[in-house]
Amino acid sequence: MPGATDQTLRPFLWRAERLYPETELVSRGHDGLTRYTYTEYADRVKQLASALRATGVTAGDRVATLCWNHHRHFELYFAVTSMGAQLHTINPLLPTDHISHIIDDAGDRVVFVDPSLLETVTEAVQTTETDTITQFVTMGDASNASSLDPIEEYDSYLDAHDPAFEWPALAESTPAGMCYTSGTTGKPKGVEYTHQMLWSHTMTTQSPQGIPIDDTDVVLPVVPMFHVNAWGMPFSATAGGAKQVFPGPAPEPAELASLIENEAVTIAAGVPTVWLGLQEYMTHTAVDLSALERVVIGGSAAPESMIDWFDGHGVEVLHAWGMTEMAPIGTVSHTKAGLEDANATAKRAKQGLAVPGLEFRVVDDTGEEVPWDGEQFGELWVRGPWVTTEYFANERATADTFEDGWLKTGDVVTVDEDGYLEIVDRIKDVIKSGGEWISSVELENAIMGHDGVEEATVVGVADDRWQERPIAFVVAVASTPHDELTAELEASLKEQFPKWWVPDAFEYIDAVPKTATGKFAKRVLRAEYDSTDAFDASHSEEAIPEE
Ligand code: AMP
């Protein structure tokens, strides 16, 4: 039968259902923990596929989610993909106009939404230009959702349908997933994941030099399920037959600690901010980490001190680097054979070794590859079976980012003699705060729209808790009082963007330093701000070397 043996996600579900029928899935919600087995999970997944089919969802349709990490979201992961439709996970932390754009661009047919996000979705669909959505489903009570129509509650949506569902044979080129990534300029860009991409991503992460997960593991993805499928963990955990624990909406360190202790979590994954929260919590409250074997840290650089801290608690850190465009894992910082010496932590704090199946090159401004000496840097280009070669319906962005099958990552790296990649800078003009992107360009445009501002730039500076935070450097029109201007800018930015996008500080300078071609020399401002002593408000118009 065509497609029956293609590289698709279906066999991963089949394996968990048949080999691990009694293995548990645990999910934290407002009303406590839900606990069931892979047998019950697989039945609900089929019921959900029946329900979606009854709603009219067919091959190629996109089903959107605005949901946190819970079992219902995970049911969508296999139901939507294995029936031949496409799971489109939307980041609810984005500005509402970005969410509207994303829904329009993807042409979503059905939207699943958590009760706490109903307001966000209601606001977003008010400004969409298209009208493709035929059904909303809320993951809880629908009584606050008057203007979303038609809307059903998830459990009754499922209950009305048959748990018998024949999965179709799918070609591996069938789109299975979709995520949007925030760019330097313009609205977020779509990345599609075919079954083959998600299959090969699962297999490389399951390899010993990836992030292997087996039936002895208990997996806790703290990284949101709207962030590139929680780094693919729910798929690899299912393939490996592991128990899975979903931490629910906005888990606090105390809640994570209790899940880790009570469910005997062996492997957890999240951005550094999450682990910093746990570290702080453990300064005043004892937590039993004895079951925890590994922690995957990615999205931003894992500080060496964090790796040491986990080492001290007997937990191995797997520092990983990746991107939405690559489903997302690219490197994992394993210790290479022969390198288990005193320097091991410094090596592991690098972004690490390419996982099996991925190729990379590091090119300088002239297009030449840089030597692997840990010193010379260039832009990292990658290619591989799970790396996309285009953006969804966006020829311009595709032409800018891809070349001969290579993805130009926008990350500036060095490679050392042992092949470890280290990110030393970023070409893309975005700020990553607590694992989420902030567009400096959008903030700059908004600030420069104020009458009291002559010129402004927004720069990401290092921050202990959030890794990076935005700081605005403003050239004010003479005679404008700075305090007043700051208050007005803060108020106006809060109206236009999520609160956490608003810069932590507004610094007033005489001129924005520029490169020879007139671009803002952000590197100079960032470096000076990071070492406060050197901060000099009197930048002249002198040219700074190109970034
Ligand atoms: P996203 O597409 O949102 O997953 O973001 C991908 C980008 O996040 C990469 O291109 C890097 O700039 C950054 N990133 C991801 N992982 C790491 C890491 N381990 N260390 C430093 N930066 C990272």
Side-chain angles (χ1 to χ4, degrees):
M1 203 201 310
T5 56
D6 274 28
Q7 296 177 353
T8 66
L9 296 170
R10 190 195 62 239
F12 299 144
L13 174 62
W14 175 87
R15 187 172 190 274
E17 181 184 3
R18 298 307 302 273
L19 270 61
Y20 300 100
E22 297 303 322
T23 299
E24 269 188 328
L25 303 169
V26 181
S27 180
R28 177 185 152 259
H30 291 299
D31 42 358
L33 295 181
T34 300
R35 202 178 279 281
Y36 62 22
T37 63
Y38 272 121
T39 300
E40 291 160 282
Y41 171 75
D43 283 347
R44 282 172 65 91
V45 168
K46 283 177 219 153
Q47 243 180 330
L48 175 56
S50 298
L52 286 165
R53 183 167 284 168
T55 301
V57 171
T58 55
D61 280 340
R62 297 202 177 89
V63 174
T65 65
L66 283 106
C67 298
W68 306 108
N69 293 15
H70 49 64
H71 64 294
R72 297 184 176 101
H73 201 180
F74 180 48
E75 286 163 4
L76 284 150
Y77 266 46
F78 275 100
V80 175
T81 54
S82 296
M83 72 184 288
Q86 197 174 357
L87 179 72
H88 173 203
T89 51
I90 302 180
N91 181 347
L93 302 172
L94 291 173
T96 318
D97 60 323
H98 286 200
I99 297 177
S100 308
H101 158 78
I102 287 173
I103 292 173
D104 273 333
D105 199 51
D108 294 316
R109 186 82 199 272
V110 182
V111 177
F112 286 79
V113 51
D114 274 8
S116 62
L117 296 167
L118 280 168
E119 212 177 299
T120 306
V121 174
T122 307
E123 218 178 289
V125 296
Q126 268 160 12
T127 54
T128 47
E129 285 166 13
T130 56
D131 194 11
T132 53
I133 303 170
T134 58
Q135 179 74 54
F136 294 91
V137 181
T138 166
M139 297 311 206
D141 182 9
S143 51
N144 297 334
S146 50
S147 71
L148 296 178
D149 187 43
I151 187 155
E152 277 204 57
E153 289 177 17
Y154 185 84
D155 286 336
S156 50
Y157 181 66
L158 238 68
D159 286 346
H161 294 279
D162 195 349
F165 187 90
E166 280 295 314
W167 298 118
L170 298 174
E172 62 197 35
S173 56
T174 308
M178 187 177 212
C179 259
Y180 277 70
T181 180
S182 301
T184 303
T185 50
K187 292 279 161 61
K189 298 164 286 185
V191 176
E192 292 194 282
Y193 308 117
T194 62
H195 273 269
Q196 169 276 319
M197 287 166 74
L198 295 180
W199 188 92
S200 57
H201 182 267
T202 305
M203 296 312 270
T204 193
T205 49
Q206 275 295 34
S207 73
Q209 293 207 321
I211 306 165
I213 293 173
D214 68 21
D215 54 5
T216 62
D217 278 314
V218 179
V219 181
L220 175 72
V222 187
V223 49
M225 290 170 78
F226 53 77
H227 265 177
V228 207
N229 308 316
W231 300 343
M233 276 193 127
F235 293 127
S236 53
T238 307
K243 171 177 166 181
Q244 302 189 49
V245 181
F246 298 99
E252 293 292 327
E255 284 143 355
L256 291 179
S258 117
L259 287 174
I260 290 171
E261 277 184 344
N262 298 336
E263 302 302 328
V265 169
T266 63
I267 174 165
V271 296
T273 305
V274 165
W275 305 121
L276 210 61
L278 182 70
Q279 267 178 265
E280 276 164 17
Y281 178 75
M282 285 179 64
T283 58
H284 53 79
T285 309
V287 180
D288 177 7
L289 295 184
S290 58
L292 193 62
E293 294 164 10
R294 293 173 294 164
V295 163
V296 186
I297 306 182
S300 294
E304 230 175 290
S305 57
M306 190 172 279
I307 298 177
D308 277 337
W309 184 87
F310 274 113
D311 275 347
H313 287 81
V315 180
E316 181 190 8
V317 168
L318 294 176
H319 183 200
W321 164 89
M323 290 174 75
T324 305
E325 288 84 341
M326 45 197 312
I329 302 292
T331 64
V332 181
S333 210
H334 284 280
T335 303
K336 247 179 156 180
L339 296 180
E340 306 88 348
D341 60 12
N343 262 339
T345 312
K347 281 276 196 212
R348 285 161 58 212
K350 296 189 176 194
Q351 277 65 26
L353 303 170
V355 289
L358 191 84
E359 287 175 282
F360 72 83
R361 54 200 298 225
V362 179
V363 295
D364 66 16
D365 291 348
T366 65
E368 289 300 311
E369 275 196 59
V370 305
W372 290 18
D373 59 5
E375 298 282 332
Q376 295 183 63
F377 55 82
E379 188 185 10
L380 173 63
W381 293 19
V382 293
R383 67 179 177 199
W386 57 91
V387 181
T388 191
T389 50
E390 61 183 5
Y391 288 115
F392 174 69
N394 192 336
E395 276 171 34
R396 196 160 151 223
T398 297
D400 286 347
T401 310
F402 301 92
E403 196 169 313
D404 299 332
W406 293 97
L407 159 67
K408 299 190 240 176
T409 67
D411 286 325
V412 177
V413 303
T414 58
V415 197
D416 68 19
E417 305 72 18
D418 301 306
Y420 283 75
L421 284 166
E422 180 172 23
I423 298 186
V424 293
D425 202 358
R426 202 184 280 143
I427 298 172
K428 31 197 182 191
D429 198 358
V430 272
I431 298 161
K432 205 168 204 191
S433 186
E436 304 288 343
W437 291 118
I438 294 173
S439 164
S440 47
V441 175
E442 282 191 53
L443 288 175
E444 278 161 12
N445 290 342
I447 295 171
M448 286 198 274
H450 190 289
D451 290 345
V453 175
E454 205 165 278
E455 200 169 42
T457 185
V458 175
V459 170
V461 299
D463 183 89
D464 283 347
R465 173 135 192 239
W466 304 104
Q467 285 79 59
E468 272 181 324
R469 285 297 301 153
I471 303 291
F473 292 90
V474 179
V475 182
V477 171
S479 81
T480 315
H482 293 173
D483 286 355
E484 256 172 53
L485 186 52
T486 297
E488 282 175 26
L489 287 173
E490 278 176 345
S492 128
L493 294 180
K494 269 185 199 147
E495 262 174 38
Q496 300 174 61
F497 302 103
K499 248 199 320 226
W500 58 276
W501 276 40
V502 178
D504 280 0
F506 291 79
E507 297 287 347
Y508 289 89
I509 54 178
D510 300 339
V512 176
K514 311 245 177 39
T515 66
T517 53
K519 285 194 276 176
F520 291 162
K522 296 192 176 192
R523 189 165 44 85
V524 174
L525 288 169
R526 192 184 305 129
E528 289 186 3
Y529 193 86
D530 280 344
S531 60
T532 357
D533 295 348
F535 186 67
D536 165 18
S538 64
H539 282 289
S540 65
E541 297 288 351
E542 95 239 47
I544 310 280
E546 222 38 61
E547 301 261 287

